[in-house]
Amino acid sequence: MTHERLFGAAPEGHWSAPGRVNLIGEHTDYNDGLALPLALPHTTKAAVSRRADRRLRLFSGGFSGDLPGAGPVDLDLDALAPGAVTGWAAYPAGGVWALREAGHELGGLNISYESDVPVGAGLSSSAALEVVTATALNDIFGLDLTPVAVARTAARAENDFTGVPCGILDQMASACCTSGHVMRLDTRDLGRRQIPFAMALEGLRLLVIDTRVRHAHADGAYARRRVECEAGAAAPGAPALRDVAAEDLDDALARLPDDVLRRRVRPVVTENDRVARAVSLLDAGRARDIGPLLSAGHASLRDDFGVSCPELDLAVEVSVGAGALGARMTGGGFGGSALALVDAGAAEFTARAVRAAFDRAGHHPPRIFEAIPSSGAQRVPV
Ligand code: ADP
Ligand code: MG
């Protein structure tokens, strides 16, 4: 349904924000650590028009449309508060709330969304929704926010409005990644560097394997990992796990009171080190050599951190067995997506092998596509 038919007003513009995959650097963002995301070509688009009253009217085509009876959501701009909005509308409403909390004057709005970012697949559809909202309002109301400020606003929406305790990786990736690059992100100071990722030139392809599995208790388990990581940093007296160097890991592990904490600290500390090593390899033009780092990261998340699941493990195992240079789960885990770095000529073969293995195991057919490093949030033509 078009914006005009829904709201009786033509949109003042269109904006888009992408989903993302994280090449490496998982569960590091809430430990002040490093990550290496890239933006996907899949985006959430927003069309926006201003209203004379103080209502916020939201519609998501192909999403709320799937929920029987869920027409446009109609909210009072002045009554937005954490916990006051439930369901999908909490993400965009949270973006509006966070901008007002930061002191920006906003008026009533109609916003209609369309998206081809897979939802709930660990590819950050929630961040795309928040970031596109903040990006559009930044332009419309002339707020003069940088992409980093947009990401901070979007993260505040997710943490404080919807109550999801995620780190800031997803929002930073959606707001700040650039086409043709992976972004080295330091989540401590939000410093970033765009690193060319010319896979085609190097004869490589990056496959995303969406297992279409989503575990119901993921949020609680994620929150527990955060608490355990904080405890794991506190024992050796570090401000965050980021501050434990890989060469001091054994020392830090020896100071921990139990095995659960050791199994949380080891993956984070080694993962930060893997990001640093992946960056060095990419800087040296050796993208194909990062494969073993990806696979080592997966083993660590599976065996120690405990955030994988049988479908992710199968996707990784079969990809590597079919000749992938490396593969790992990407995103928070407990379902969602894996990625596999493959020689361009082996992409079809690898995808076929994964599909066949899922079929044999009785799993839902995975959705497999190529990750092409794309642009971050921006205004787009109609
Ligand atoms: P992910 O970010 O990995 O896709 P999340 O659980 O963080 O998974 O976010 C998924 C939720 O975000 C959906 O359940 C829905 O509430 C909301 N969402 C994402 N994209 C859209 C969209 N295009 N329209 C409406 N809601 C969306
Ligand atoms: Mg999300």
Coordinates of all heavy atoms in Angstrom, one line a residue, residues 20 91 120-128 130 158 164 166 170-171 214, ligand 2:
R20 N 22.9 -6.1 8.4 CA 24.4 -6.3 8.4 C 24.7 -7.8 8.6 O 23.9 -8.6 9.1 CB 25.0 -5.5 9.4 CG 24.7 -5.8 10.9 CD 25.7 -6.6 11.6 NE 25.2 -7.1 12.9 CZ 24.6 -8.3 13.0 NH1 24.3 -9.0 12.0 NH2 24.2 -8.7 14.3
Y91 N 10.1 -0.5 18.1 CA 11.4 -0.2 17.5 C 11.4 1.2 16.9 O 12.3 2.1 17.3 CB 11.9 -1.2 16.5 CG 12.1 -2.6 17.2 CD1 11.1 -3.6 17.2 CD2 13.4 -2.9 17.8 CE1 11.3 -4.8 17.8 CE2 13.6 -4.2 18.4 CZ 12.6 -5.1 18.4 OH 12.8 -6.3 19.0
G120 N 14.5 -11.4 12.2 CA 14.8 -12.4 13.3 C 15.9 -13.4 12.8 O 16.0 -14.5 13.4
A121 N 16.7 -13.0 11.8 CA 17.7 -13.9 11.3 C 19.1 -13.6 11.7 O 20.1 -14.1 11.2 CB 17.6 -13.9 9.7
G122 N 19.2 -12.7 12.7 CA 20.6 -12.3 13.2 C 21.2 -11.4 12.2 O 22.5 -11.2 12.2
L123 N 20.4 -10.7 11.3 CA 21.0 -9.8 10.3 C 20.6 -8.4 10.6 O 20.6 -7.5 9.7 CB 20.6 -10.3 8.9 CG 21.0 -11.7 8.6 CD1 20.4 -12.2 7.3 CD2 22.5 -11.9 8.5
S124 N 20.1 -8.2 11.8 CA 19.8 -6.8 12.3 C 18.6 -6.1 11.6 O 18.7 -4.9 11.4 CB 21.1 -5.9 12.2 OG 22.1 -6.5 13.0
S125 N 17.6 -6.8 11.4 CA 16.4 -6.1 10.9 C 15.9 -5.0 12.0 O 15.4 -4.0 11.6 CB 15.2 -7.0 10.6 OG 14.7 -7.6 11.8
S126 N 16.1 -5.3 13.2 CA 15.6 -4.4 14.3 C 16.5 -3.1 14.2 O 15.9 -2.0 14.2 CB 15.7 -5.0 15.7 OG 17.0 -5.4 16.0
A127 N 17.8 -3.2 14.0 CA 18.6 -2.0 13.9 C 18.3 -1.2 12.7 O 18.2 0.0 12.7 CB 20.1 -2.4 14.0
A128 N 18.0 -2.0 11.6 CA 17.7 -1.3 10.3 C 16.5 -0.4 10.5 O 16.4 0.7 10.0 CB 17.5 -2.3 9.2
E130 N 15.3 0.9 13.3 CA 15.6 2.0 14.2 C 16.4 3.1 13.5 O 16.2 4.3 13.6 CB 16.4 1.6 15.5 CG 15.6 0.6 16.4 CD 16.6 -0.4 17.0 OE1 17.8 -0.4 16.8 OE2 16.0 -1.2 17.8
E158 N 16.7 0.7 21.2 CA 16.6 -0.8 21.4 C 16.8 -1.1 22.9 O 16.1 -2.0 23.5 CB 17.6 -1.5 20.5 CG 17.4 -3.0 20.6 CD 17.5 -3.8 19.3 OE1 17.6 -3.1 18.2 OE2 17.4 -5.0 19.3
V164 N 15.7 -4.5 24.9 CA 16.6 -5.5 24.5 C 18.0 -5.1 24.8 O 18.5 -4.0 24.4 CB 16.5 -5.7 22.9 CG1 17.5 -6.8 22.4 CG2 15.0 -6.2 22.6
C166 N 21.0 -5.4 23.8 CA 22.1 -5.6 22.8 C 23.2 -4.6 22.9 O 23.0 -3.5 23.5 CB 21.5 -5.6 21.4 SG 20.8 -4.0 21.0
D170 N 25.2 -3.5 15.9 CA 24.2 -3.5 14.8 C 23.8 -2.1 14.3 O 23.8 -1.9 13.1 CB 22.9 -4.2 15.3 CG 23.1 -5.6 15.7 OD1 24.2 -6.1 15.6 OD2 22.1 -6.3 16.2
Q171 N 23.6 -1.2 15.2 CA 23.2 0.1 14.9 C 24.4 0.9 14.2 O 24.2 1.6 13.2 CB 22.7 0.9 16.1 CG 21.4 0.4 16.7 CD 21.6 -0.9 17.5 OE1 22.7 -1.3 17.9 NE2 20.5 -1.5 17.9
R214 N 14.9 -19.7 15.2 CA 14.9 -18.6 16.1 C 14.5 -19.2 17.5 O 13.4 -19.8 17.6 CB 13.9 -17.6 15.7 CG 13.9 -16.5 16.7 CD 13.9 -15.2 15.9 NE 14.4 -14.1 16.7 CZ 13.8 -13.0 17.0 NH1 12.6 -12.8 16.6 NH2 14.4 -12.1 17.8
Ligands
MG2 MG 18.1 -7.2 16.2

